[in-house]
Amino acid sequence: QLKLSNLVDGEKISVELTSNESCVSSAKVISNEIEISLSNGLSPSIEIEANKTEICEGEEVTFSIKTETDKGANPTYTWTSSIQGDLGSTVPLKLNNLKDGEEISLTLKVSETCATNTEVTSTKTPIKVNPTFVPLVGIKADKSKICAGETVVFSIDDTKTTNQGTSPTYQWKSSVQGDLGTTNTLSLSNLIANEEVTLEMTSNLTCATPNKVTSIPMLISIETQVTPDVQIVIKGGITSICNEESVEIEATKTDGGG
């Protein structure tokens, strides 16, 4: 028996036998050769990356392998979450249910006999998850009933407007006239009956879902313009009277109100 610890790759080993039998054809014979294949020590490593590290709640993140070394011929993978536990072996990994601060890592297992470590785990990748917000916008008018041609001023109702962000944008719209402007207030003097006015707001708040919302339509009551008139007559049709004689004068009005 022979033990060696200093072999090199490709080194061949054989044994020579010298027989002490008296009747041998050859006293000295050499065995077959065994060639040694020497593998260098493997040092497996693995690191991962995410296409996003800060997301809105419910948004999808894809995790993939960034670098790996000495994985050998048949590596196996296991994804792990600090909250959800084992997440399987599929590479890349897609998740849309992450929680704020959740950390993802990937473990690499190798089957090579000369690996210094047969199992290594990547650095954990934490994900920041921001909550979602639902924007709302409301509008108001300085008058609810007008005469035709009268000016109405529409503005944002702060009591009904939320999650607009620091720099929202606005678009006033009319069911008759279309787009009407982008300022905070709107003045109209050409409204017609049944015309509805709305305000579309685009929020710039992070994770506003949806980021564009529209107010409830506002309808202004418009009264038709009329021309008042009044006529008077002497009751009984009298047109000529005596001095100091009394008469009854009767007035007939049109559109004079109550």
Side-chain angles (χ1 to χ4, degrees):
Q1 186 176 1
L2 175 68
K3 291 185 179 180
L4 297 173
S5 61
N6 59 347
L7 293 167
V8 297
D9 189 40
E11 188 170 349
K12 296 178 180 179
I13 305 297
S14 61
V15 62
E16 182 180 278
L17 171 67
T18 301
S19 175
N20 63 356
E21 294 290 334
S22 58
C23 297
V24 294
S25 59
S26 175
K28 187 177 291 187
V29 293
I30 298 175
S31 72
N32 61 298
E33 291 183 336
I34 297 175
E35 185 173 348
I36 303 299
S37 176
L38 190 64
S39 296
N40 294 322
L42 301 179
S43 297
S45 67
I46 190 164
E47 291 298 337
I48 63 173
E49 60 185 353
N51 64 331
K52 303 167 191 169
T53 55
E54 182 171 356
I55 61 169
C56 300
E57 187 177 0
E59 194 173 349
E60 185 176 83
V61 178
T62 299
F63 298 89
S64 56
I65 297 172
K66 183 179 181 181
T67 60
E68 61 180 332
T69 60
D70 293 339
K71 63 181 180 180
N74 297 295
T76 60
Y77 303 98
T78 302
W79 293 98
T80 304
S81 159
S82 60
I83 294 177
Q84 304 176 60
D86 191 339
L87 293 173
S89 59
T90 302
V91 180
L93 174 69
K94 297 179 184 289
L95 296 175
N96 60 7
N97 60 344
L98 291 163
K99 304 299 182 185
D100 187 36
E102 189 167 353
E103 295 178 323
I104 303 298
S105 61
L106 179 60
T107 297
L108 166 67
K109 292 182 181 180
V110 299
S111 58
E112 303 300 317
T113 56
C114 294
T116 55
N117 289 303
T118 58
E119 182 174 307
V120 291
T121 300
S122 71
T123 303
K124 295 178 180 179
T125 299
I127 303 297
K128 179 173 177 54
V129 181
N130 297 305
T132 56
F133 301 93
V134 179
L136 294 173
V137 64
I139 60 175
K140 59 185 178 180
D142 63 339
K143 305 179 186 78
S144 60
K145 180 185 292 187
I146 62 168
C147 299
E150 192 175 350
T151 298
V152 180
V153 178
F154 297 89
S155 59
I156 298 168
D157 188 343
D158 292 333
T159 65
K160 297 178 181 178
T161 302
T162 60
N163 296 325
Q164 65 268 42
T166 55
S167 301
T169 58
Y170 302 104
Q171 177 65 64
W172 292 96
K173 293 178 180 287
S174 159
S175 60
V176 176
Q177 304 175 60
D179 291 349
L180 294 173
T182 59
T183 56
N184 286 18
T185 60
L186 175 70
S187 296
L188 293 178
S189 58
N190 58 347
L191 289 168
I192 63 173
N194 299 317
E195 184 172 357
E196 293 182 333
V197 174
T198 57
L199 178 61
E200 182 182 85
M201 180 183 76
T202 301
S203 170
N204 73 328
L205 185 67
T206 300
C207 297
T209 306
N211 70 325
K212 186 177 290 186
V213 292
T214 301
S215 69
I216 296 174
M218 179 164 283
L219 182 65
I220 303 298
S221 176
I222 301 176
E223 295 186 351
T224 304
Q225 190 174 37
V226 296
T227 302
D229 184 53
V230 63
Q231 299 290 326
I232 61 172
V233 295
I234 298 175
K235 198 171 183 178
I238 301 171
T239 58
S240 178
I241 62 173
C242 298
N243 188 28
E244 296 185 356
E245 186 178 357
S246 64
V247 294
E248 286 187 51
I249 298 175
E250 192 174 59
T252 304
K253 65 178 180 178
T254 303
D255 295 325

